[in-house]
Amino acid sequence: MPPARPAPDAGPSFGPEGADPTLAAVCAGDQGEISGLLARIAGRELRDNDAELYGRWLFECLLAPVWRRLLAAPAVHAARGVELALRWPADDTALAGLVWEAMHDGEAPLAGHPRALVAVTRVVPTATPAPATIRRVPRVLFVAGSALDDAVIRPGAMFMGLMRAFEAEGLCVSRAMTNATLADLGEVCARFEPDVVHLVAHGDVDEHRAVLRVCDPGEPDGFRFVDGETLALALRGPAGMPVAVILSACGSARPGGQDADDPGDGPAGNPDAPPDAARAAGRSLAAELAVRGVPIVVAMSGEVSEQASRLFTRRFVRAVQQGASVVDAAAAGRRAALLHGDPPSRYLDWAMPTLVLAENVPPDLRVVDPAPLLGLRQAAESLGLRQAPVFIGHDRVLAATDALAAPAAEARPGFVAAVARDSMSGLGGSRLLREVGLRLLRTGHLPLLIGPFGAGAAPSDLRAVVSQVLEKAIMIAEVLGIDPPPLTVLDADPDSRLAGTVSPEALRGVGAEARFDLLYDAVAEFTAGTAPLPGPGLRHRLARDLGALADAAGAAGEPFGAATRVVVLGDEVHRWVGGLRPLLAMIRRDGLGGPDRPIPVVVTASLVEQEGVFLKDFRDGQAGQPGFVFPELAPMSPASAILGYQWVLLHPWHPSYPFVYTAARNASRARIEKTLGRLQGKPTAVGERLYFVAAILADYEAFVAADDEAAMRAYEEQVR
């Protein structure tokens, strides 16, 4: 797509030749026809062909005189695409209140035009500087102003589920918060410094200002309204504003005061209103954020269905992941929603997602450079940390493990045990540890995943536990291409004959492949030893070796650095018969390390199976002590489970389950929740059982099934 931003060079025509009477009337400025059309658009009570009529009217008023010359321009023809950058004063709410993304030239909507990929961008005149392309793992903050099962923000919650594809692909570090207050948002932005903030909330108009509704327990109704100025203050972190803000809030791209009864001033609304009446209503939230320093804002001009949200977002996310410019990505997302969504003559959902850019943002800006992230994703796959489908549940456990990287020692746990009161069956503990490891790797730490083990293979003594840690430490060094740990721990083994062959001095000058062969051989010898091991001395040597591994990673550059630490992850440690007790004996306030170099340990376990009773005693003895956290491993709450299952169903992840399932427009929410509730909140129900239930809901027309991957392939073929 060319960077040029063409503008029309003539005034509006007054309806195409031979147009139907209604189109001719609105193009001629008939106030009754225009007001009626705008009221139906705003109220989502469209008649047949209203969407096309609205798009034709906007097109005739803006582009008709120059459209043919525009398509024939050499740059547009060569690129098969063009950006239509719409620029007006930030306070001009009359123009901002119209859905220009819906323009239709009589042949097709411009968003899905067969002759060119057309991007419609709202450019806000402001001094906000353009951001640099992110060349590290981007940080994404998901924020919900109320519970995610709230019916009004449900489409936004689905949007959030789709955006988590970034995380599932290993292409971002995310944090999530629900029922967030303004103070919560400001605190997290200051601490986490997100590159992208995705905010899901009720959009509203309060005293002619565009506002969002956020949680506030101190208010009588439990919430408060915040405008763009207040929101911008909370978003600004120590390094400035986020690169992009996504507002999954209906009407967040629409100026305050723009509603069905008062669409604005001039010919688009009340003809008797004074010329500056709409300007007094206030900017849209999106424009306000752009003026106050956010370079890129994706917002909604009106209500968006789950289907349109899904199709727009799937293509938008994929395009950004592949390194497309933000303008191209938004255009591709809109076209996908248009071509494979509801009939464009009847619905405008596909036109509602709106891209707002500060004027200094170049149209070819890539938000993310994917190249530096591919190596990290490959490393995660080699270490067994990536696993489909999208992860759901266990938010409390993840919050505890996210705190492992806290800068303040008093807030940083050294031992996190996710424990089940009964059996762990169906709770997804092994998948949880993989997710923890993936999150740690993306944030610049070194996860050593110990397990899962088959029958009889779990560590049975201290030697087996240490050898597993050493083997995983060597493996992660090999995968990341960094110096391996020195393995001074082998010096504590009276049986070791190979310890001297793997000292740093002995390995100096040895090629990488041979060096790792020697290390693995030495650990295998250590594993086979039988002599007693000195516990305290062994712990000290192990901490020193793992600290050296963290230093080697820190010197390698992004995402690693001075704060990088090793984290040991133990799967179902109640099954480590003979190995659990010596592990617990080595655990301190800072895990296996010390205050200057913590080595946290995260485990999952049942408190009643096999040696779980020893962990239970350990928990009872350490409960409430700084550095020790014991979150419960339990089924998801009904609300989290119902939303989480639907998030999984948004992402085709296995050849056996090629379909995407989403709620039908007028489906009974109660029926969907009751049916999904039969899965009992078990995270491991995301396979055959979940898709069996989804197929039944589709049979009864509560769910709609679609093959999004086939649709995306068809889309890519069509626009190639």
Side-chain angles (χ1 to χ4, degrees):
M1 184 174 296
R5 292 176 164 173
D9 58 5
S13 65
F14 294 96
E17 192 173 331
D20 67 79
T22 306
L23 175 59
V26 295
C27 288
D30 186 302
Q31 297 302 316
E33 291 286 357
I34 291 174
S35 295
L37 176 62
L38 291 175
R40 295 193 299 275
I41 295 291
R44 289 175 61 86
E45 297 178 352
L46 278 69
R47 301 171 184 168
D48 287 340
N49 298 318
D50 262 356
E52 181 174 335
L53 172 63
Y54 182 71
R56 293 288 302 277
W57 171 52
L58 296 178
F59 173 83
E60 290 295 322
C61 290
L62 182 67
L63 285 179
V66 298
W67 180 238
R68 293 185 184 277
R69 293 201 303 278
L70 186 62
L71 287 180
V76 174
H77 187 266
R80 296 191 63 198
V82 63
E83 179 198 8
L84 303 176
L86 307 182
R87 183 184 185 278
W88 45 71
D91 294 329
D92 192 332
T93 59
L95 290 172
L98 297 169
V99 186
W100 296 98
E101 293 77 7
M103 285 187 288
H104 191 300
D105 73 342
E107 180 182 358
L110 302 196
H113 207 280
R115 302 187 197 182
L117 179 62
V118 179
V120 178
T121 307
R122 313 278 185 114
V123 177
V124 179
T126 174
T128 298
T133 297
I134 300 168
R135 304 187 188 279
R136 50 166 173 73
V137 183
R139 294 183 292 269
V140 179
L141 174 64
F142 298 112
V143 184
S146 56
L148 283 179
D149 60 334
D150 185 301
V152 177
I153 68 169
R154 192 166 187 79
M158 292 296 105
F159 195 102
M160 181 185 287
L162 285 160
M163 288 296 290
R164 291 191 69 177
F166 269 123
E167 188 172 27
E169 290 294 314
L171 295 179
C172 79
V173 177
S174 77
R175 295 290 182 271
M177 52 195 304
T178 59
N179 289 314
T181 67
L182 194 66
D184 293 335
L185 176 60
E187 181 182 341
V188 172
C189 286
R191 185 176 67 250
F192 183 52
E193 296 187 63
D195 301 299
V196 178
V197 175
H198 181 183
L199 213 161
V200 181
H202 294 270
D204 210 332
V205 175
D206 178 40
E207 297 180 354
H208 301 294
R209 297 175 304 157
V211 293
L212 293 182
R213 203 172 84 177
V214 299
C215 179
D216 190 337
E219 293 292 327
D221 295 325
F223 63 85
R224 62 176 291 196
F225 292 116
V226 298
D227 58 15
E229 179 180 2
T230 307
L231 181 60
L233 290 173
L235 291 171
R236 186 176 294 278
M241 284 293 194
V243 171
V245 172
I246 299 170
L247 297 173
S248 287
C250 292
S252 50
R254 191 174 60 193
Q258 296 286 324
D259 55 34
D261 298 320
D262 180 19
D265 65 349
N270 178 5
D272 299 321
D276 61 349
R279 288 182 174 82
R283 303 169 183 145
S284 70
L285 277 165
E288 190 70 41
L289 291 181
V291 168
R292 296 186 179 276
V294 180
I296 302 167
V297 184
V298 177
M300 306 296 150
S301 291
E303 292 186 38
V304 183
S305 70
E306 292 181 19
Q307 182 187 44
S309 171
R310 178 183 94 243
L311 292 166
F312 173 85
T313 310
R314 283 186 66 81
R315 184 59 201 172
F316 177 80
V317 169
R318 182 172 297 181
V320 171
Q321 285 178 339
Q322 293 171 346
S325 75
V326 66
V327 170
D328 281 355
R334 192 183 320 285
R335 173 172 281 200
L338 171 64
L339 296 182
H340 303 293
D342 292 314
S345 63
R346 184 65 188 270
Y347 297 103
L348 276 177
D349 297 70
W350 53 269
M352 294 302 178
T354 303
L355 178 63
V356 176
L357 301 179
E359 66 178 341
N360 290 325
V361 176
D364 58 351
L365 173 74
R366 295 191 303 164
V367 178
V368 175
D369 178 4
L373 307 178
L374 295 180
L376 199 63
R377 184 169 68 179
Q378 291 169 357
E381 292 171 350
S382 298
L383 296 169
L385 301 179
R386 287 191 64 214
Q387 183 176 348
V390 166
F391 186 83
I392 57 174
H394 301 314
D395 292 338
R396 292 182 61 191
V397 179
L398 293 176
T401 56
D402 286 343
L404 295 173
E410 60 272 15
R412 187 175 61 227
F415 183 71
V416 178
V419 294
R421 296 181 181 180
D422 298 304
S423 170
M424 291 183 62
S425 177
L427 297 182
S430 298
R431 175 67 197 279
L432 169 64
L433 277 189
R434 287 192 174 96
E435 181 69 14
V436 170
L438 182 59
R439 291 162 75 104
L440 287 168
L441 183 66
R442 288 195 302 258
T443 51
H445 301 291
L446 303 175
L448 308 184
L449 177 59
I450 314 302
F453 297 101
S460 57
D461 56 21
L462 176 60
R463 185 182 289 272
V465 171
V466 173
S467 65
Q468 283 287 334
V469 173
L470 295 177
E471 183 179 318
K472 298 298 183 180
I474 297 168
M475 178 185 298
I476 201 168
E478 184 179 17
V479 167
L480 295 175
I482 61 177
D483 289 337
L487 299 190
T488 63
V489 70
L490 301 184
D491 296 335
D493 181 13
D495 291 344
S496 176
R497 295 177 296 105
L498 299 178
T501 68
V502 293
S503 67
E505 295 76 17
L507 292 177
R508 190 172 291 119
V510 177
E513 187 172 344
R515 182 167 65 246
F516 282 103
D517 286 344
L518 290 170
L519 290 165
Y520 283 124
D521 288 345
V523 171
E525 180 198 54
F526 175 82
T527 304
T530 58
L533 297 172
L538 191 74
R539 181 186 185 279
H540 185 266
R541 288 184 175 90
L542 182 62
R544 185 167 57 209
D545 292 348
L546 296 181
L549 177 65
D551 288 339
E558 288 284 353
F560 308 106
T564 291
R565 57 183 60 110
V566 174
V567 182
V568 176
L569 310 176
D571 183 65
E572 295 193 354
V573 295
H574 63 274
R575 300 177 59 226
W576 296 14
V577 178
L580 175 58
R581 280 179 284 178
L583 170 66
L584 295 176
M586 291 196 295
I587 299 297
R588 302 287 187 273
R589 163 69 179 81
D590 297 293
L592 295 174
D596 58 333
R597 180 55 63 84
I599 303 174
V601 176
V602 181
V603 302
T604 59
S606 164
L607 294 180
V608 298
E609 296 181 331
Q610 294 172 287
E611 298 210 339
V613 63
F614 297 113
L615 181 58
K616 184 178 183 299
D617 291 342
F618 185 82
R619 181 197 66 174
D620 294 345
Q622 300 294 342
Q625 295 297 315
F628 295 88
V629 183
F630 300 90
E632 184 179 358
L633 195 63
M636 294 179 284
S637 69
S640 295
I642 288 163
L643 185 64
Y645 290 144
Q646 291 184 80
W647 280 0
V648 171
L649 293 172
L650 291 171
H651 299 275
W653 58 277
H654 192 277
S656 299
Y657 314 120
F659 291 110
V660 168
Y661 291 90
T662 56
R665 277 186 179 272
N666 299 313
S668 166
R669 181 181 171 193
R671 173 177 293 178
I672 291 173
E673 293 183 353
K674 180 178 180 180
T675 306
L676 290 176
R678 297 187 182 279
L679 298 175
Q680 301 177 318
K682 296 291 183 70
T684 54
V686 297
E688 183 176 356
R689 291 179 63 203
L690 174 59
Y691 283 88
F692 178 74
V693 169
I696 291 175
L697 286 168
D699 289 341
Y700 284 96
E701 299 183 344
F703 270 6
V704 175
D707 190 339
D708 274 13
E709 290 303 305
M712 288 298 102
R713 289 192 296 271
Y715 163 80
E716 288 162 359
E717 182 65 29
Q718 180 174 347
V719 300
R720 183 170 297 164

